[in-house]
Amino acid sequence: MERIYVFVSGPLAWIAWTVFVVGSIYRIWHLLKLAKEKEQVLFSYISFKYAIRSIINWAIPWNTNNMRLHPIFVGVAFLFHIGFFLILAFLSAHVILLEEGFGLGWPALPDIVADMLAFAVLGACIFFAARRVVRPEVAFVTDWTDYALLGLVAAPFLTGILAYHQWGDPLVVTLLHILSAELLIASIPFTRLSHMLFAPFTRGYIGSEFGMVRHVKDW
Amino acid sequence: MSERVWIKDEGIERGAEALTPERIERTINAVLGNETGARLMAYVETCAHCGLCSEACHFYLSRDRDPSYSPVGKVKQTIWPMLKNKGKVSVEFMKQATQIAQTECNLCRRCVQYCPFGIDIAYMMTLVRRIVHKLELTPLYIQDTAHSHSATLNQMWVKDDEWIDALHWQEDELRDEFPTARIPLEKEGAEIMYSVIGPEPKFRTQLIYQAAAIMNVAGLDWTMPATPGWDNSDMAMFTGDSEIMARLKRAHFETAARLRVKKIVMGECGHAFRSVYDTGNRVLGWRMPPIPVIHALEFYWDLLNEGRIKVAKQIEEPVTFHDPCNVVRGRGLHEKAREVVRAFCKNLVEMHPNREHNLCCAAGGGVINCGPPFKNARVESNRAKAEQLKATGVKICIAPCHNCHGGLDDIIHKYELDMELKFLGEIIYECMEKPEAQ
Amino acid sequence: MTRRHHALWLGALLGGMVLALCSAPAWSEDTVLKTEAFGTLRRPVAIFDHDTHNEKAGLDDCAICHHVYQDGKLVKDSSSEDQACSDCHALKRQGRQPGLREAYHGACVGCHKSKGKGPVACGQCHQR
C-alpha cells in the first residue's frame, strides 16, 4: 500500500499535472488554430478592452441581470468556484506537499476555514445535482455526463474531508483523495470542465462583439 | 397554454418528401464541417447545461416555462443530436429542428446576455437554419420572400417601376403639404442615401411620406435610389441563405457607392439594420459597413441635437417604448431613442424589463415571415410580452421596428390590450415644427 | 544528496516504528516528537517512539537523523543528538537549509517513501 501511495503521490501526480498542462495548452492551441483556419474573421472582432470589461462584470457576484434573477444559485456557484481554487492552492496539507516536494511555500488557510470551504464545495456539488433533478429546465438538458462531472469534482473534496477528519483508514482515504484529484485534474482539458479554459475566450469574444460592434452591455 | 404542436407547413412537408438519410447526413456534416470552427466547438464544449439562459427567452416564459422552449433546450433538440450522431438524424427530426430554429427562436440574442459564458445560442440557431436551407426545408412563406429577394433584390416582389412609382406618388402627396418638397431620386453626390424595406412601398407608404417630410423640414441633402438595391431588408439572412444575403447587401452598398453618398440612413427597421450593419457586411468581407449606416433612431437624435428639427408640440398621453433587439441589443440606441421620445412625449412610462434587457416581440428573426401556419403558435408564445405591455397601463406604444410592429400588433389583438402602436417617425412627423407646411 | 541518504535510513527506522505502533496504539510523552519550537500546533503531535522505531528499522547510526551540516555540507562522522533539531532548523527555510517543519517531513516521510515502509499519509503520524 505504501508503494502504491508513493507511486500515486509521485509519478502519477506528475503525469496528471502534465496531462492537464499539455492538454490545456493543446486545447487552447487547437481552438486558436481552428479559428485561424476556418474563422479568421473572429480575430478582427476581438477587443481587449471590451473582453476584459465583460469578464470583469461577469466575475462580480450578483452583478449581472441574470445573476440577480438567481441569487442563491449565484452565491453557491461563486462559493463553489472560489472554494475550489482556495483549497487547491492554500490548504495547509497542500502547501506542505509543495514544501516537501519543492522546498517552496506560502501561507496556508486556517484549518477551520479550509474545512468549512471544503464542506461548502461538497455542499455546492450536492446543490448542483439536486438542481438538475428538481428544476425542469435543467433536468431537460441534463444527461449522465453532467452527474459524472459533478461526481468527478466532488470526489476529491469528499475524500479530502475524510482524510482531514481521519474518518476511515488514513492511508486508504488519502490515497483515494490523491487519485480522485489526479483524475479530476487530468480530465479538465478533455471534458466540459474545459469551460475553465474556454470561458475567457467565449466571454471575451462576445464581450467584444457587444461592446465594440453593438455598443451595448452584455450583462 | 397548449402543448407544442408540430405544425404542418407546405414548404417543410414538400422539402421533407425529397429527403434521404444520406442527404441529411451529408448536408449536416458539410455545414458543420466546412462552415463552423472554433466558435461552435467552444460553445458546445463550454456549455455547462446549467439552464440559466431559460429565463431570457420569451418563448420559455410564455409557454409556462416549458423547458423544451428554453434556449439551451432548443440547442438540445437541434445541434447536440446532429453533432452526437454525426449528422445521422431522421427526416422527422429535421422537420422538428426546422420548426424550432426557424419559428421558435427570434435570434434576439437576449439569451446571449444571460449565459455566464456568453455562448451565442442565436448563432447556433442560424447554423440550424443554414442546414435547413440546404435541405430545402425552409417554411414556405419566408422562402417566398427569399425567392423575391433573389429575383427582384427586394423582399416583396416590388417591380422596378412600381418602386419608382410609389416614390413619385408619395412625392405628389407630400407636395400637397409641403409645396416645394422633393423625394430626390438618383441624386449622385448627395450626403444621404435613404433606404427602406420592401414592405414600405408595398403597404406602408405613409412611412416613406413621413421620412421624406422629416428630410425636407430638416433641409437635408438626400436621395433615394431608383434602381434595385433600394431595399435594405434581408430575409435570406434569416433562412440561412448566405449567398443571397451577400448578393442583397452587395447591391445595397454598391447602390450607395454609385450614388457617392456619405452615409446610408435607414428607416425604422430592426432586421434590416442587423443585416446592413452587422451581418451582411461580414458576409461581404467588410469588418464594419463600408459606408456608415445610420439607423432612424440615431438619425432622429442627430437631427434633434443639431437643431434641424424642432419640437412644436408634445404627445400629452403617456407612452411606452419597446426596444427592438436589433437596434438596442444590436447597436445600443436605447438612450438616444429615449431622448427623442422624451422630447416629443410628455410622459414616457418604461416597460419592465427595458433597454437592452427588453423582451422580444416574437416576430423578428424571420419568425413572422414564416406566415399564417405559425401565427397562432407565435402569438401564444409571447404572452410574456403581452403581460409586460399591459403592466405599463399605457395606451400608446412606440416600436421603432417593422417586425416588432407586426408582432406586437398580433399580441395586442390576441390579448386585447387596447394599445396603439406607433413608429417614432410618425410621432416626430406629427409633433415637429413644419415651417413650410400648408 | 547526503542528506537524502541519511533520510533513507531514518525512513527505515520510522517504518519499523509504525509497525510497532500498530500493536501499541497508546503513547506517552516520550513517544512523540519534540514540538516546543513550533509554538501553537496546527496538527496533533506526530507519534514517534524513538527506541522502538530504531529497533524496527535496524538503525544504529545516530547521525542518520541527527546529522551535522556546516556551510551547507554534511560533516562526516559527526552527529548532533545532544542538540534539538530546532537549534539549527529555524521555523522558516534559510537558504538551502530547510525550515523545521520541512526538515521533519523530509526526514520522516522522505525516508518512508524511499523505503516504501512506514507512515506516509498525513493522518498516519498526526493522529487525532
Side-chain angles (χ1 to χ4, degrees), chain B residues 36-307:
Chain B
T36 75
R39 247 188 310 181
L40 183 65
M41 196 238 346
Y43 289 159
V44 173
E45 299 262 311
T46 304
C47 177
H49 305 178
C50 69
L52 285 177
C53 51
S54 306
E55 270 142 339
C57 187
H58 47 291
F59 278 87
Y60 171 80
L61 295 174
S62 303
R63 291 276 178 173
D64 294 328
R65 311 173 80 84
D66 177 343
S68 70
Y69 285 95
S70 81
V72 64
K74 294 171 203 172
V75 178
K76 187 215 159 152
Q77 294 167 91
T78 55
I79 288 281
W80 290 355
M82 289 181 186
L83 284 171
K84 193 179 161 207
N85 302 317
K86 299 191 167 60
K88 286 192 182 65
V89 293
S90 67
V91 175
E92 204 52 36
F93 173 92
M94 277 316 306
K95 283 165 71 176
Q96 297 183 353
T98 302
Q99 177 170 332
I100 290 166
Q102 193 76 57
T103 78
E104 293 169 2
C105 170
N106 298 98
L107 309 179
C108 78
R109 297 190 282 224
R110 193 168 188 253
C111 50
V112 183
Q113 277 179 312
Y114 278 62
C115 172
F117 297 128
I119 293 173
D120 192 344
I121 293 168
Y123 162 74
M124 290 194 261
M125 289 299 113
T126 55
L127 279 181
V128 178
R129 291 180 181 200
R130 174 77 174 152
I131 292 165
V132 164
H133 159 71
K134 293 201 139 200
L135 291 172
E136 297 174 272
L137 287 173
T138 306
L140 184 72
Y141 278 77
I142 192 168
Q143 185 57 52
D144 177 72
T145 63
H147 285 328
S148 170
H149 277 307
S150 175
T152 67
L153 294 180
N154 74 68
Q155 194 196 124
M156 291 271 138
W157 301 102
V158 177
K159 290 174 191 155
D160 294 0
D161 59 336
E162 283 176 350
W163 160 246
I164 298 167
D165 198 44
L167 297 180
H168 281 167
W169 167 40
Q170 288 311 305
E171 188 182 65
D172 273 353
E173 299 267 317
L174 191 63
R175 286 164 78 96
D176 284 345
E177 190 181 359
F178 305 90
T180 58
R182 297 293 313 272
I183 296 182
L185 292 190
E186 291 293 311
K187 184 181 169 191
E188 283 190 27
E191 198 191 328
I192 294 167
M193 178 176 99
Y194 186 64
S195 70
V196 296
I197 62 169
E200 291 205 15
K202 199 81 177 175
F203 50 78
R204 276 177 176 160
T205 39
Q206 84 280 6
L207 295 178
I208 297 177
Y209 179 104
Q210 286 156 3
I214 293 170
M215 292 279 186
N216 277 283
V217 167
L220 297 168
D221 178 18
W222 68 298
T223 188
M224 290 180 90
T227 58
W230 55 266
D231 181 4
N232 53 31
S233 77
D234 186 355
M235 279 305 127
M237 167 175 72
F238 288 146
T239 63
D241 194 343
S242 319
E243 292 77 11
I244 300 286
M245 164 161 64
R247 278 182 58 215
L248 295 176
K249 291 309 111 176
R250 185 172 165 146
H252 190 61
F253 285 130
E254 284 187 348
T255 302
R258 178 173 60 74
L259 293 172
R260 292 186 286 110
V261 295
K262 295 201 176 61
K263 59 188 174 193
I264 298 170
V265 172
M266 311 180 51
E268 288 177 51
C269 181
H271 95 273
F273 184 76
R274 180 187 189 131
S275 171
V276 183
Y277 177 77
D278 194 336
T279 316
N281 52 307
R282 297 190 195 205
V283 150
L284 293 172
W286 290 89
R287 181 172 167 274
M288 295 304 279
I291 296 166
V293 175
I294 314 289
H295 186 265
L297 289 179
E298 188 177 11
F299 180 60
Y300 300 149
W301 186 87
D302 286 343
L303 295 183
L304 197 62
N305 278 276
E306 289 162 7

Side-chain angles (χ1 to χ4, degrees), chain A residues 53-109:
Chain A
R53 180 180 84 156
S54 178
I55 289 167
I56 289 174
N57 273 289
W58 280 89
I60 303 168
W62 302 289
N63 181 55
T64 72
N65 210 54
N66 197 19
M67 285 192 208
R68 289 192 209 111
L69 292 177
H70 302 93
I72 296 170
F73 177 87
V74 170
V76 174
F78 271 84
L79 192 62
F80 168 81
H81 284 94
I82 293 168
F84 183 99
F85 286 104
L86 278 182
I87 288 175
L88 178 70
F90 296 106
L91 182 85
S92 68
H94 295 170
V95 174
I96 285 169
L97 280 179
L98 280 173
E99 185 181 82
E100 275 182 43
F102 304 99
L104 47 88
W106 46 75
L109 287 170

